[in-house]
């Protein structure tokens, strides 16, 4: 996990002024991958005390534009933020609890990542969202299903 000095260096490297709220937001995103804005606001307030919602939204926007964080919007979910930037990774989302995990790019033959018609676009990214049940929910579901079967 980066240190405060490293967060400051990242901000300067992106030509952003170093402020305590910016460092706190960047730190929160690093410490809470795939967190939504509410969770980031809570983490920042634990660190700094009172910070406005708008300030955090503005900082997240600036950090996203600068390429220091990435905003993802899985279908059916609010926007979430992560510090893993600069690669074309994907996500897997639990249908039951909403947990999100990173997945490296698809390997092998992946024709679904090559569009049938690029409409003249220069494509530099493909986003895939895998859906399923996380280990915890799949265990819970299996246990629940077993109980249902035994009552029949």
């Amino acid at each position: 996990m980066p240190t405060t000095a490293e967060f400051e260096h990242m901000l300067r490297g992106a030509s952003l002024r170093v402020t305590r709220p910016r460092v706190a937001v960047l730190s929160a995103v690093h410490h809470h991958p795939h967190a939504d804005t509410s969770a980031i606001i809570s983490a920042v307030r634990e660190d700094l005390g009172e910070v406005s919602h708008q300030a955090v939204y503005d900082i997240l926007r600036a950090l996203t534009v600068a390429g220091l964080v990435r905003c993802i919007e899985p279908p059916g979910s609010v926007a979430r933020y992560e510090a893993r930037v600069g690669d074309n990774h994907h996500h897997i989302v639990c249908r039951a609890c909403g947990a999100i995990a990173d997945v490296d790019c698809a390997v092998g033959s992946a024709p679904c990542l090559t569009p049938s018609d690029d409409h003249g676009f220069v494509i530099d990214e493909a986003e895939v969202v895998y859906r399923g049940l996380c280990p915890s929910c799949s265990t819970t579901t299996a246990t629940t299903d077993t109980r249902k079967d035994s009552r029949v």
Side-chain angles (χ1 to χ4, degrees):
M1 201 59 55
T3 64
T4 299
E6 290 169 322
F7 289 133
E8 291 172 356
H9 180 74
M10 288 177 204
L11 289 167
R12 285 187 190 99
S15 299
L16 293 173
R17 195 166 48 93
V18 174
T19 64
R20 289 185 63 226
R22 283 182 177 163
V23 171
V25 170
L26 190 54
S27 176
V29 172
H30 275 263
H31 285 88
H32 306 282
H34 309 120
D36 63 16
T37 308
S38 295
I40 293 169
I41 290 169
S42 294
V44 169
R45 286 181 174 169
E46 283 181 22
D47 186 31
L48 291 183
E50 189 58 33
V51 156
S52 74
H53 282 72
Q54 191 60 51
V56 174
Y57 280 103
D58 292 345
I59 292 167
L60 285 168
R61 188 176 313 106
L63 294 175
T64 302
V65 169
L68 295 177
V69 302
R70 179 179 177 199
C71 178
I72 62 169
E73 297 180 55
S77 176
V78 297
R80 295 171 178 273
Y81 295 86
E82 65 180 351
R84 185 173 169 183
V85 297
D87 66 351
N88 189 32
H89 72 279
H90 308 296
H91 297 93
I92 189 163
V93 180
C94 179
R95 290 183 188 278
C97 70
I100 300 174
D102 291 333
V103 177
D104 288 330
C105 282
V107 295
S109 177
C112 64
L113 297 179
T114 304
S116 58
D117 183 353
D118 65 16
H119 299 278
F121 283 68
V122 176
I123 298 171
D124 61 7
E125 182 178 17
E127 187 169 325
V128 174
V129 176
Y130 299 95
R131 296 193 162 282
L133 293 175
C134 69
S136 178
C137 290
S138 63
T139 302
T140 303
T141 301
T143 303
T144 303
D145 289 345
T146 302
R147 287 188 199 136
K148 286 179 186 174
D149 291 342
S150 65
R151 288 182 280 194
V152 176

